[in-house]
């Protein structure tokens, strides 16, 4: 790997050497993007290491890397190219799925012009790092384990996912995303007490996160702590009054306390905010049909596509 980088870059300015390395990686049959196939067959080990990305081609003779794996590769090759590279992460989340949160990672190259971004996943080279923050290599490794945990969860390998999220926390216990993701996993596994502990830590690190608060309220509800769950959801609603999931969960609390009027109001609110919110429509439809309004209940259910 290092000899590959030395041969590729030669002499010249930091920008010239970085450009040659950037091009050499692309020419080395490396595809970079967001992998939609996260099956066990394609990703048996979760995130790949820099060496795996570099050395292990697929059956079609091509190599593939997600943004975090590309950044690992560039960090590994940079010293041989005489480049000073740091990992960077986009400040806002770019994707949410299955109850988990992740972001976009790229590489920053230190030069005479300051820190410049080399973002192969977006096919952008040598631009200002607007929207990105420098993260430590320790935090980057945390993201590697975190993303592995997400991949394992999507594959149904929940125990292995927990190990991966725990490794992410060993690398960086100050990252709310890692606590949130492990807590969300524990909710799926029915381990409400463990989930509450992790989600409480996440909320302490990121008190303004509605998603963290909503999942925390679900854990509190599962433990029978309904009044605390209600207060958590009220806080979430204050932060994001147009969040359909908050309204839905307030409806669930009301329903479990036989307050059908409030449950109906909250679920109607959730559907008004998000007309394709399947769970809210189904629960509202069931309530309406069970209270003698069958036609309206079926109309609500008919709004699902």
């Amino acid at each position: 790997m290092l000899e590959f980088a030395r041969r590729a870059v030669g002499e010249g300015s930091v920008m010239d050497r970085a450009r040659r390395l950037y091009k050499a990686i692309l020419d080395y049959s490396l595809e970079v993007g967001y992998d939609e196939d996260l099956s066990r067959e394609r990703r048996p080990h979760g995130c790949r290491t820099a060496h795996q990305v570099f050395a292990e081609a697929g059956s079609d003779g091509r190599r593939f890397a997600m943004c975090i794996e590309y950044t690992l590769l560039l960090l590994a090759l940079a010293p041989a190219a005489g480049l000073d590279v740091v990992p960077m992460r986009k400040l806002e989340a770019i994707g949410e799925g299955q109850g988990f949160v992740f972001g976009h990672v790229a590489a920053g190259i230190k030069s005479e012009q300051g820190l410049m971004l080399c973002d192969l996943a977006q096919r952008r080279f040598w631009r200002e790092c607007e929207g990105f923050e420098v993260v430590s290599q320790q935090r980057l490794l945390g993201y590697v384990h975190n993303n592995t945990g997400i991949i394992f969860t999507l594959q149904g390998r929940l125990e292995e996912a927990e190990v991966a999220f725990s490794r992410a926390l060993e690398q960086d216990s100050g990252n709310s995303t890692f606590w949130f993701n492990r807590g969300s996993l524990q909710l799926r596994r029915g381990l409400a007490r463990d989930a509450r502990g992790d989600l409480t830590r996440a909320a302490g690190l990121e008190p303004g996160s509605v998603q963290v608060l909503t999942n925390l309220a679900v854990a509190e509800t599962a433990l029978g702590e309904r009044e605390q769950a209600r207060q958590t959801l009220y806080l979430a609603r204050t932060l994001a009054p147009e969040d359909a999931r908050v309204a839905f969960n307030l409806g669930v609390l009301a329903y479990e306390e036989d307050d059908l009027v409030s449950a109906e109001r909250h679920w109607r609110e959730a559907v008004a905010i998000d007309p394709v919110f399947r769970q809210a429509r189904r629960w509202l439809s069931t309530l309406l049909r069970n209270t003698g309004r069958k036609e309206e209940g079926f109309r609500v259910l008919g709004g699902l596509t």
Side-chain angles (χ1 to χ4, degrees):
M1 285 173 58
L2 297 182
E3 185 57 33
F4 167 86
R6 291 189 191 97
R7 290 198 311 269
V9 298
E11 302 296 330
S13 68
V14 170
M15 184 175 70
D16 289 338
R17 284 179 279 129
R19 180 183 287 110
R20 293 189 198 111
L21 182 59
Y22 175 88
K23 186 176 184 300
I25 292 172
L26 286 174
D27 289 345
Y28 192 56
S29 301
L30 183 68
E31 297 179 25
V32 183
Y34 298 103
D35 195 354
E36 295 182 2
D37 180 4
L38 297 175
S39 64
R40 186 164 189 158
E41 291 72 23
R42 182 170 173 88
R43 294 225 162 232
H45 308 298
C47 274
R48 292 185 176 93
T49 65
H51 183 267
Q52 287 173 318
V53 170
F54 181 82
E56 297 177 8
S59 58
D60 58 358
R62 300 190 67 82
R63 297 163 178 81
F64 183 90
M66 293 188 287
C67 61
I68 194 166
E69 297 165 335
Y70 158 68
T71 303
L72 287 174
L73 177 61
L74 196 58
L75 285 167
L77 297 176
L83 299 172
D84 191 353
V85 176
V86 295
M88 307 195 75
R89 182 178 187 266
K90 201 167 188 179
L91 293 174
E92 69 268 21
I94 63 166
E96 298 178 4
Q98 307 294 325
F100 300 101
V101 175
F102 56 95
H104 178 50
V105 177
I109 300 177
K110 296 180 181 178
S111 73
E112 300 85 349
Q113 300 166 263
L115 193 61
M116 304 300 291
L117 195 71
C118 184
D119 187 358
L120 190 56
Q122 299 294 330
R123 294 296 190 269
R124 294 179 177 180
F125 172 76
W126 211 254
R127 64 185 179 93
E128 294 185 358
C129 302
E130 183 179 357
F132 283 77
E133 62 176 343
V134 176
V135 296
S136 66
Q137 292 202 30
Q138 186 175 13
R139 177 158 289 190
L140 180 70
L141 292 175
Y143 282 125
V144 172
H145 293 302
N146 175 72
N147 284 13
T148 294
I150 293 174
I151 293 170
F152 285 168
T153 301
L154 296 174
Q155 294 174 357
R157 300 158 65 183
L158 302 189
E159 291 184 3
E160 292 172 272
E162 182 184 356
V163 171
F165 289 136
S166 297
R167 287 176 176 167
L169 286 164
E170 289 170 5
Q171 290 289 334
D172 186 1
S173 62
N175 190 312
S176 64
T177 294
F178 302 162
W179 289 107
F180 171 77
N181 284 349
R182 193 174 72 173
S184 298
L185 174 71
Q186 303 296 37
L187 273 182
R188 287 178 176 225
R189 300 180 69 197
L191 303 175
R193 194 168 301 279
D194 291 340
R196 181 185 61 181
D198 284 353
L199 293 166
T200 298
R201 291 291 297 270
L205 291 165
E206 193 175 359
S209 171
V210 174
Q211 193 166 20
V212 170
L213 291 172
T214 303
N215 279 16
L216 175 57
V218 172
E220 291 166 341
T221 301
L223 292 169
E225 301 170 357
R226 290 191 174 85
E227 185 54 38
Q228 180 58 52
R230 183 177 289 103
Q231 295 304 315
T232 301
L233 287 170
Y234 283 158
L235 175 57
R237 187 166 64 175
T238 299
L239 294 168
E242 296 300 313
D243 191 296
R245 191 166 174 235
V246 173
F248 170 76
N249 282 300
L250 282 168
V252 172
L253 275 177
Y255 185 80
E256 290 178 348
E257 295 170 347
D258 293 323
D259 184 354
L260 301 188
V261 173
S262 295
E264 180 179 339
R265 185 180 72 252
H266 288 307
W267 289 339
R268 285 187 184 278
E269 179 187 358
V271 171
I273 294 170
D274 182 1
V276 296
F277 193 160
R278 293 176 177 272
Q279 205 171 9
R281 279 191 177 273
R282 286 175 177 147
W283 283 53
L284 176 58
S285 173
T286 299
L287 185 151
L288 292 170
R289 285 180 284 133
N290 289 344
T291 52
R293 291 169 285 175
K294 290 186 178 180
E295 288 188 9
E296 186 181 4
F298 283 120
R299 284 200 303 272
V300 169
L301 198 60
L304 294 175
T305 57

